[in-house]
Amino acid sequence: MNDAKVVNPNMVNANVVILAAGMGKRMQSDLPKVLHPLAGKPLLAHVLDTARSVCSGRGLSKVCVIYGHGGAAVQALLAQQPQAVATARQEQQLGTGHAVMQALPELDDNAPTLILYGDVPLTTAASLQALLAAAGNDKLGILTVVQDDPTGLGRIVRAGGPHGAITRIVEQKDATEAERAIKEINSGILVVPTVQLKKWLGQLDNRNAQGEYYLTDIVAMAVADGVEVVSAQPAAQWEVAGVNSKVQLAELERIHQRNIAQRLLEQGVTVLDPQRLDVRGELTCGRDVTIDVGCVFEGKVEIGDGVHIGAHNVIVNSRILAGARIKPFCHIEEAVVGEVSVIGPYARLRPGTVLAEDVHVGNFVEIKNGQVAAHSKANHLAYIGDATIGARVNIGAGVITCNYDGANKFRTVIEDDAFVGSDSQLVAPVTVGQGATIGAGTTLTKDAPAGKLTVSRPRQVTIENWTRPVKLKK
Ligand code: UD1
Ligand code: CA
């Protein structure tokens, strides 16, 4: 976010501060923790997307990310965001309270401040909305969870037992034996009235077991100032689970994928094993779609009605139109598969491939930037690159378009109803005319006229009286 002043203060309805300065030592990685991908998207991007979806209904929001390590990489991610995001660098990690202090110049006093963690990726918009609603403009809201094992986390201390008013949060290391027995924990996600937040942060000290400026100390300050403290609870514990290690990252990845599979099942998609599906982007499916095990979908993938996706397919930024069947082990990237087409097993469709209806692409066939009209077939072992192929064309086994001379690429055009015999090379630029037949083994370097047989093979000869050599005796 830049320094431009908001003219109408009522336009800003929420400040969002995302804490992301932690080292992430346990990730054992050079990549800053919040940039590790979950479902193909950096952890921080998950948090930003959720924040945006929560705040979009509340008018303009100001978002500020507190970063520490890997500033350039974090900035690069933020530059890709649809909305401007401010950043503040926390030079030394002196605690969560100190982290939020870095954002203070960015915060608009007229709206409450929502504090999120960049390494807690799966909080739902519904839970944050519930928290914002509970806090309103003048209360302090805490997202809390009751969990069997609260070890290591801040405990919610309530006056007179579990249903009393919240009086403060105590960190594990500062807690008494009795406080450690409390199972209600602080998720870390808070909503705070901004004017008071600024005041309370100014009063923080680091006289505690860890020598840190604890953000959580503002809760007791709110109580002392007569500001009501409320709580909201997420629907599931994983919503507030953070990532500190690759083990935790893998656990959250599985939870996220299971949730996606669940949604697809509820929409009527037959997911043969919800444990063996990976969606890293946006997958939309029509009616009566079946997805077999081990498939990976990346980016934006659209699957039409009645499509069957066989086992172990990788499909990236592509559209598979109604009734198509993708047999196992294909890689399909930036391609369109036409209606009722049959692809694979073991086919590769590369960017720019557009197949019309009822096209058959079989095993070990690679198509790159090739447009294939209806009812054409390339069933075995072919390379089709930079080609325009008409309708009802038959491409034999082993056919190769020689599209590249080492410096430039050229197109091959094969017109309707042509038949290209096996093991032919089509040296582009070259055209096979309508209804032409190319004899097997032809190296086509000149256009083949329509309706005729063209063949470039030396004539077959048989040598009479020829005998095989015999092995010499030594
Ligand atoms: C904090 C809370 C604790 C809560 C727990 C939930 C405090 C004092 N304690 O614990 O009550 O149960 O989160 O996970 O707030 N960070 C910074 N700068 C810092 C310190 C932390 O940006 O100086 C960021 C981290 O990157 C992380 C988040 O703040 O995203 C929480 O930090 P972490 O050290 O994991 O939590 P605790 O302080 O132990
Ligand atoms: Ca800590």
Side-chain angles (χ1 to χ4, degrees):
M1 205 165 294
N2 51 41
D3 290 325
K5 286 277 174 288
V6 177
V7 185
N8 176 359
N10 295 323
M11 278 177 66
V12 173
N13 286 320
N15 301 290
V16 181
V17 177
I18 301 176
L19 303 191
M23 268 276 273
K25 234 200 202 142
R26 284 160 62 199
M27 298 297 277
Q28 310 275 7
S29 167
D30 293 337
L31 190 66
K33 177 164 76 174
V34 293
L35 298 185
H36 281 264
L38 182 134
K41 185 165 88 175
L43 296 172
L44 180 57
H46 283 268
V47 180
L48 286 162
D49 287 353
T50 309
R52 203 170 19 252
S53 84
V54 167
C55 296
S56 60
R58 300 171 60 90
L60 196 68
S61 61
K62 289 191 117 191
V63 181
C64 182
V65 171
I66 311 301
Y67 69 97
H69 300 272
V74 172
Q75 298 283 4
L77 170 70
L78 298 180
Q80 296 163 17
Q81 295 297 310
Q83 180 192 13
V85 178
T87 56
R89 182 170 158 83
Q90 188 190 21
E91 294 287 342
Q92 281 179 294
Q93 270 89 74
L94 303 179
T96 49
H98 180 257
V100 176
M101 283 177 209
Q102 314 310 309
L104 290 188
E106 298 292 338
L107 304 184
D108 190 306
D109 287 351
N110 297 295
T113 297
L114 170 65
I115 296 161
L116 303 173
Y117 289 179
D119 56 4
V120 177
L122 298 185
T123 320
T124 62
S127 296
L128 296 182
Q129 259 142 8
L131 182 66
L132 283 160
N137 287 325
D138 55 1
K139 296 187 233 34
L140 191 158
I142 312 170
L143 197 65
T144 77
V145 176
V146 175
Q147 53 189 53
D148 288 340
D149 181 10
T151 310
L153 297 163
R155 308 298 206 282
I156 306 296
V157 181
R158 290 176 184 268
H163 302 292
I166 296 173
T167 56
R168 61 191 187 100
I169 294 174
V170 63
E171 294 303 299
Q172 164 97 15
K173 289 193 173 129
D174 301 280
T176 63
E177 210 46 45
E179 287 164 342
R180 284 183 192 187
I182 298 172
K183 292 191 185 310
E184 186 181 13
I185 60 96
N186 168 31
S187 69
I189 294 172
L190 305 175
V191 175
V192 191
T194 301
V195 173
Q196 282 91 335
L197 175 67
K198 290 179 178 175
K199 175 189 161 205
W200 296 329
L201 288 178
Q203 296 171 4
L204 283 186
D205 64 56
N206 63 354
R207 291 191 299 272
N208 51 54
Q210 302 184 81
E212 286 183 9
Y213 294 90
Y214 289 165
L215 177 61
T216 44
D217 284 352
I218 68 171
V219 175
M221 294 176 185
V223 174
D225 280 356
V227 171
E228 195 183 340
V229 179
V230 297
S231 70
Q233 284 70 39
Q237 277 189 23
W238 48 256
E239 287 194 41
V240 298
V243 172
N244 293 300
S245 66
K246 291 287 172 76
V247 173
Q248 291 171 341
L249 181 61
E251 284 167 1
L252 288 193
E253 176 81 38
R254 280 305 100 208
I255 288 168
H256 185 62
Q257 293 298 344
R258 191 199 63 202
N259 292 342
I260 292 171
Q262 184 76 22
R263 269 204 298 280
L264 290 169
L265 289 164
E266 282 163 5
Q267 287 164 15
V269 177
T270 302
V271 178
L272 285 172
D273 184 354
Q275 312 280 1
R276 284 183 287 170
L277 172 73
D278 286 85
V279 179
R280 300 174 192 149
E282 195 190 316
L283 172 65
T284 52
C285 293
R287 285 178 82 79
D288 296 305
V289 168
T290 296
I291 301 174
D292 209 333
V293 301
C295 292
V296 178
F297 299 92
E298 288 178 16
K300 197 165 185 269
V301 176
E302 281 175 47
I303 297 181
D305 293 347
V307 168
H308 187 283
I309 309 282
H312 302 290
N313 278 291
V314 177
I315 303 181
V316 184
N317 291 321
S318 293
R319 291 168 62 213
I320 315 294
L321 304 189
R325 188 174 180 87
I326 314 295
K327 293 181 176 178
F329 301 108
C330 296
H331 192 277
I332 299 176
E333 185 175 9
E334 286 169 38
V336 178
V337 173
E339 292 185 7
V340 302
S341 289
V342 181
I343 311 299
Y346 300 104
R348 181 173 183 204
L349 305 183
R350 290 172 54 198
T353 296
V354 178
L355 310 180
E357 66 170 311
D358 184 38
V359 168
H360 290 208
V361 177
N363 41 269
F364 308 108
V365 173
E366 173 181 347
I367 305 182
K368 184 215 76 171
N369 188 22
Q371 294 79 48
V372 183
H375 315 296
S376 289
K377 296 181 171 58
N379 273 328
H380 340 260
L381 299 155
Y383 173 63
I384 296 164
D386 302 306
T388 305
I389 296 177
R392 297 169 304 278
V393 167
N394 195 303
I395 308 272
V399 169
I400 289 172
T401 56
C402 307
N403 58 327
Y404 186 51
D405 62 6
N408 297 296
K409 300 219 168 108
F410 301 97
R411 287 198 77 80
T412 299
V413 175
I414 303 176
E415 294 177 354
D416 293 351
D417 299 297
F419 179 98
V420 182
S422 297
D423 194 33
S424 293
Q425 303 93 50
L426 310 177
V427 182
V430 75
T431 296
V432 176
Q434 187 175 345
T437 299
I438 306 300
T442 292
T443 301
L444 195 72
T445 54
K446 291 182 293 236
D447 291 353
K452 294 188 173 149
L453 170 66
T454 299
V455 57
S456 76
R457 202 187 307 150
R459 272 181 198 286
Q460 180 169 322
V461 295
T462 300
I463 312 294
E464 301 295 340
N465 304 320
W466 180 84
T467 53
R468 284 189 189 171
V470 286
K471 194 163 182 152
L472 296 173
K473 291 217 169 70
K474 284 196 185 141

